[in-house]
Amino acid sequence: MAEGSSGAKGRPLPPGTRIGILGGGQLGRMLALAAARLGLKVHIYSDESGPAFDVATEATKGAYDDGASLDAFARSVDVVTYEFENVPVATAERLARSCPVRPGPAALRVAQDRLVEKTTIDGLGIPVAPFHAIGGLADLERAMADEPAGAILKTRRLGYDGKGQIALTPGADLAAALAEIGQAPAILERRLSFAFEVSVLIVRGLDGAVAIYDVPRNEHGGGILRRSTVPAGLPGAVLARAHDMAGRIAAALDYVGLLAVELFYMGPEAPEPLLVNEIAPRVHNSGHWTIEACGVSQFENHIRAVAGWPLGSPARHSDAEMVNLIGRDVDDWPALAATPGVCLHLYGKREARAGRKMGHWTRLAPIRSGLR
Amino acid sequence: MAEGSSGAKGRPLPPGTRIGILGGGQLGRMLALAAARLGLKVHIYSDESGPAFDVATEATKGAYDDGASLDAFARSVDVVTYEFENVPVATAERLARSCPVRPGPAALRVAQDRLVEKTTIDGLGIPVAPFHAIGGLADLERAMADEPAGAILKTRRLGYDGKGQIALTPGADLAAALAEIGQAPAILERRLSFAFEVSVLIVRGLDGAVAIYDVPRNEHGGGILRRSTVPAGLPGAVLARAHDMAGRIAAALDYVGLLAVELFYMGPEAPEPLLVNEIAPRVHNSGHWTIEACGVSQFENHIRAVAGWPLGSPARHSDAEMVNLIGRDVDDWPALAATPGVCLHLYGKREARAGRKMGHWTRLAPIRSGLR
């Protein structure tokens, strides 16, 4: 069952009602801007102030385990959603007692633990990268023996943007690797040689209707997304398969809102052309181009879904390229602002720490018909 | 001279700095959303709370003649702009003593008085609808004798959306008409038979650079804009003339920001194909389609100009139609939200009074090449 998504399915929340968002980062900021467009108000709740605070009707700085503060937040809003997948499940469950939480806590539970995530997806008959559960050194030694081409040790919980991951080759010091991740429960994932990475941005409404944006191709550097481009150049049959996989995952989670499914494209000759890498139960960096290239962005469609509105069309009118501004990249803003065709987004973060997402830009181009 | 636009011309205001906006309506709201995209903060100042308050980093409810409150506002921001043309000039001048006001108070002075506006534009050699200054009944009687086809009596000040206007035909009770406008200073404008109305949305940077959006065709009902469409279907030479006229007005006012120039298109056979109806020293309802159809909207370009940034490209990637939701029109929001291709904007106003702009929608279409 999916708590929170089974509330009053009948009527969309009318303009003027208030959406609660857990998390105050740039995704919360872009969600708040999209909600504003629809006449909906936003109340941000976060344990630290951030870029979303500047554009919200109301913002609360509070701990995710501060029951009284959470209860007051829940009373002030008509529905709660979140902008990051590491919201404590207990927080979501507490809020769900007073008002709908969408996506429901079940999606958080699956997405927060790589082992549960992979087991769940595998259980749907959807291929994932081969993996082993790692409880300690004995598991890791046994698992590495199966991975002569090398593998990646990933903590089961709290990893993002390449954090909590260690690449291992045969002969590596496995005890040291486990020490580096603090002996945390982990998985070992086979290192794959894929053609490129893509993501499916699927949004599912309260009534189960789905809309799928065109699939972007994603390039990473240092574990962080650098660039997304649409179209990805996937063969049509592979694209259809990607859509089908994402649809099955969203339905299995009785998901409400935008879900990102990251996939490895193994190339046209591979027996399994697509493997799921991971899912993110939220709006996703690889969908930022939808702000300019679509009439209804991923942010607006997430808000529509959680507010029980009909979904907007995910059709795009342009090809698009999105590039992240990471750390000191943002210092280029005057040149980017002066470059014709660059649509610049800055998140208003004060400090440009290394690896921090400070903004992005999108460039549109006419659709190259026939390319897909 | 243009006060306020002659400040520090060198450096653009960096992300994180604060833009002050006078007025809290939907235009202020859309300006605030555009500023947020660029990492700029917004402080709204208005004598009544409104839709812009919900999305601003800070909002002050204060009278436009409350000196202490205005001074505190001016201290809190790096530049001031406005979303409506009836900002008292004294307010703008007071603020301009502490920080740049863009567009400068000179633009307000011209736009607030129909007689000064028409005289200024006429003085640039740019055609306007024939008009007479009306100080009282004798003026009006004399003027009506020159207008056998009928004319429109308009108060010099504080008219918008058809308010403060009375259509007069020969034989009308002129004393009653003057009584109806409270004996206010007025102009009498010849009733013209034009082909259709268009507007030029021109943005001028701090450095004098200009960018011009494609010209929309505008349809009014009851004095209120109902629909704007691009392309307008103007012949190329007429379009070039419209651009030239707007450029000369913006330069004459040493304008900074977005200026809307409303024009009557008299048809291909007319000796003067275009006459200026009026100007609005602010972002304009007839430019709302730029949010979806352009990489950089009129709102973002206004913010860029007042913050001293380089202007963004006004190029559009799509044809567009924008329709206002006026008064109870907004009750259709569930059907509009469910219509594929409709990009819906709701302003979050509580009460749908008759004639009140509650939202709008835009629909994009591929560019019909060769049509212009």
Side-chain angles (χ1 to χ4, degrees):
Chain A
M1 74 156 262
E3 307 94 313
S5 70
S6 52
K9 296 223 178 196
R11 287 151 51 99
L13 292 175
T17 51
R18 202 169 278 226
I19 313 282
I21 299 176
L22 295 167
Q26 68 270 14
L27 298 179
R29 180 177 173 100
M30 289 185 271
L31 284 169
L33 297 177
R37 210 154 133 143
L38 299 178
L40 296 162
K41 297 184 202 290
V42 163
H43 185 167
I44 299 286
Y45 187 101
S46 175
D47 60 356
E48 53 180 353
S49 61
F53 280 51
D54 284 333
V55 296
T57 302
E58 194 175 347
T60 298
K61 188 172 159 182
Y64 290 117
D65 60 359
D66 179 340
S69 189
L70 288 170
D71 291 347
F73 171 64
R75 279 193 301 272
S76 79
V77 299
D78 300 285
V79 64
V80 167
T81 187
Y82 39 88
E83 58 122 41
F84 70 115
E85 64 271 42
N86 290 321
V87 171
V89 172
T91 303
E93 284 173 340
R94 182 177 187 118
L95 294 168
R97 275 182 241 139
S98 332
C99 74
V101 175
R102 299 171 184 154
L108 283 178
R109 248 185 247 115
V110 169
Q112 283 178 2
D113 184 323
R114 289 185 198 279
L115 183 58
V116 177
E117 181 183 34
K118 289 195 176 275
T119 308
T120 302
I121 295 167
D122 188 52
L124 296 170
I126 294 171
V128 296
F131 66 98
H132 312 260
I134 304 297
L137 187 57
D139 287 344
L140 186 54
E141 285 171 346
R142 210 165 21 237
M144 274 303 285
D146 282 351
E147 303 298 346
I152 307 159
L153 182 68
K154 299 180 174 182
T155 56
R156 283 174 57 176
R157 303 179 65 83
L158 295 174
Y160 69 98
D161 281 354
K163 289 167 188 161
Q165 301 196 7
I166 301 171
L168 297 177
T169 45
D173 184 340
L174 302 184
L178 286 174
E180 196 174 329
I181 61 166
Q183 315 293 341
I187 63 168
L188 186 75
E189 202 177 277
R190 182 167 300 165
R191 174 178 285 286
L192 297 168
S193 171
F194 51 82
F196 53 83
E197 294 177 77
V198 298
S199 50
V200 182
L201 307 161
I202 184 171
V203 60
R204 190 166 178 275
L206 203 51
D207 58 358
V210 299
I212 305 182
Y213 288 95
D214 200 4
V215 168
R217 179 193 297 218
N218 303 322
E219 297 164 48
H220 294 78
I224 304 177
L225 182 69
R226 301 282 159 168
R227 180 188 308 264
S228 292
T229 47
V230 278
L234 281 184
V238 175
L239 202 55
R241 195 181 174 92
H243 284 200
D244 173 66
M245 289 161 69
R248 282 158 59 207
I249 295 170
L253 297 173
D254 195 10
Y255 196 85
V256 175
L258 193 123
L259 174 73
V261 179
E262 297 183 38
L263 299 157
F264 297 122
Y265 174 50
M266 308 306 290
E269 310 300 328
E272 286 291 357
L274 293 169
L275 301 180
V276 172
N277 176 20
E278 62 181 39
I279 65 172
R282 54 167 169 81
V283 289
H284 198 255
N285 195 167
S286 68
H288 289 0
W289 57 272
T290 62
I291 295 174
E292 278 87 10
C294 303
V296 175
S297 73
Q298 65 162 345
F299 300 100
E300 178 174 332
N301 253 333
H302 183 79
I303 294 291
R304 281 172 170 252
V306 303
W309 287 37
L311 302 180
S313 165
R316 66 180 171 86
H317 50 66
S318 299
D319 286 353
E321 172 189 22
M322 187 287 308
V323 173
N324 273 336
L325 299 174
I326 295 167
R328 304 236 63 104
D329 291 353
V330 76
D331 296 345
D332 286 343
W333 71 266
L336 288 166
T339 306
V342 162
C343 304
L344 185 62
H345 294 251
L346 301 172
Y347 305 149
K349 295 180 183 177
R350 262 184 294 271
E351 219 190 320
R353 290 197 297 267
R356 197 174 198 204
K357 290 174 179 168
M358 301 298 294
H360 72 269
W361 56 262
T362 298
R363 196 197 300 261
L364 300 182
I367 288 188
R368 289 163 294 175
S369 49
L371 196 109
R372 286 176 42 200
Chain B
M1 74 155 257
E3 308 95 312
S5 69
S6 52
K9 296 222 180 198
R11 287 152 52 100
L13 292 175
T17 51
R18 203 168 277 225
I19 314 282
I21 299 177
L22 295 168
Q26 69 268 15
L27 299 178
R29 180 177 173 100
M30 289 185 271
L31 284 168
L33 296 177
R37 210 155 132 141
L38 300 177
L40 297 162
K41 296 183 203 290
V42 163
H43 185 168
I44 299 286
Y45 187 102
S46 175
D47 60 357
E48 54 180 354
S49 61
F53 280 51
D54 283 334
V55 296
T57 301
E58 195 175 346
T60 298
K61 189 173 159 181
Y64 290 117
D65 61 359
D66 179 341
S69 188
L70 287 169
D71 291 348
F73 171 65
R75 279 192 302 273
S76 78
V77 298
D78 299 285
V79 64
V80 167
T81 187
Y82 39 88
E83 58 122 41
F84 70 115
E85 64 270 44
N86 290 320
V87 170
V89 172
T91 303
E93 284 173 339
R94 182 177 188 118
L95 294 168
R97 275 183 240 137
S98 331
C99 75
V101 175
R102 297 171 184 153
L108 282 180
R109 249 185 247 114
V110 170
Q112 283 179 2
D113 184 323
R114 289 185 197 280
L115 183 59
V116 177
E117 182 184 33
K118 289 195 176 275
T119 308
T120 302
I121 295 167
D122 187 53
L124 295 171
I126 293 171
V128 296
F131 66 97
H132 313 259
I134 304 296
L137 187 59
D139 287 344
L140 185 54
E141 285 171 344
R142 206 161 30 234
M144 273 303 286
D146 281 352
E147 303 299 346
I152 306 160
L153 182 68
K154 300 181 174 182
T155 56
R156 283 173 58 175
R157 302 180 66 83
L158 296 174
Y160 70 99
D161 281 354
K163 288 167 189 162
Q165 301 195 6
I166 301 172
L168 297 177
T169 44
D173 183 341
L174 303 183
L178 285 175
E180 195 174 329
I181 62 166
Q183 314 293 340
I187 63 167
L188 186 76
E189 202 178 276
R190 182 168 301 167
R191 173 179 286 284
L192 297 168
S193 171
F194 51 83
F196 52 85
E197 292 177 79
V198 298
S199 50
V200 182
L201 307 161
I202 184 171
V203 60
R204 190 165 178 274
L206 204 50
D207 59 358
V210 298
I212 304 183
Y213 288 94
D214 199 4
V215 169
R217 180 195 294 217
N218 303 323
E219 297 163 49
H220 294 77
I224 305 176
L225 182 68
R226 301 281 159 168
R227 180 189 308 265
S228 292
T229 47
V230 278
L234 281 183
V238 175
L239 203 55
R241 194 180 174 95
H243 284 200
D244 173 68
M245 288 160 70
R248 282 157 61 207
I249 295 170
L253 297 173
D254 194 11
Y255 196 85
V256 175
L258 192 123
L259 174 73
V261 180
E262 297 183 39
L263 298 158
F264 297 122
Y265 174 51
M266 308 305 289
E269 310 300 327
E272 287 291 355
L274 292 169
L275 301 180
V276 172
N277 175 22
E278 62 181 38
I279 64 173
R282 53 166 170 81
V283 288
H284 197 255
N285 194 167
S286 67
H288 290 359
W289 56 272
T290 63
I291 295 174
E292 277 87 9
C294 303
V296 175
S297 73
Q298 65 162 346
F299 300 99
E300 178 173 333
N301 253 332
H302 183 80
I303 294 290
R304 282 171 170 252
V306 303
W309 286 37
L311 301 180
S313 164
R316 66 179 170 88
H317 50 66
S318 300
D319 287 353
E321 172 190 22
M322 188 285 308
V323 173
N324 273 336
L325 299 174
I326 296 167
R328 304 236 62 105
D329 291 353
V330 76
D331 296 344
D332 286 342
W333 72 267
L336 289 165
T339 306
V342 162
C343 304
L344 184 62
H345 294 251
L346 300 173
Y347 304 149
K349 296 180 183 175
R350 260 183 295 272
E351 220 188 321
R353 290 198 296 269
R356 198 174 197 203
K357 290 174 180 169
M358 301 298 295
H360 73 269
W361 56 262
T362 298
R363 195 198 301 261
L364 300 181
I367 288 187
R368 288 162 294 176
S369 50
L371 196 109
R372 286 177 44 200

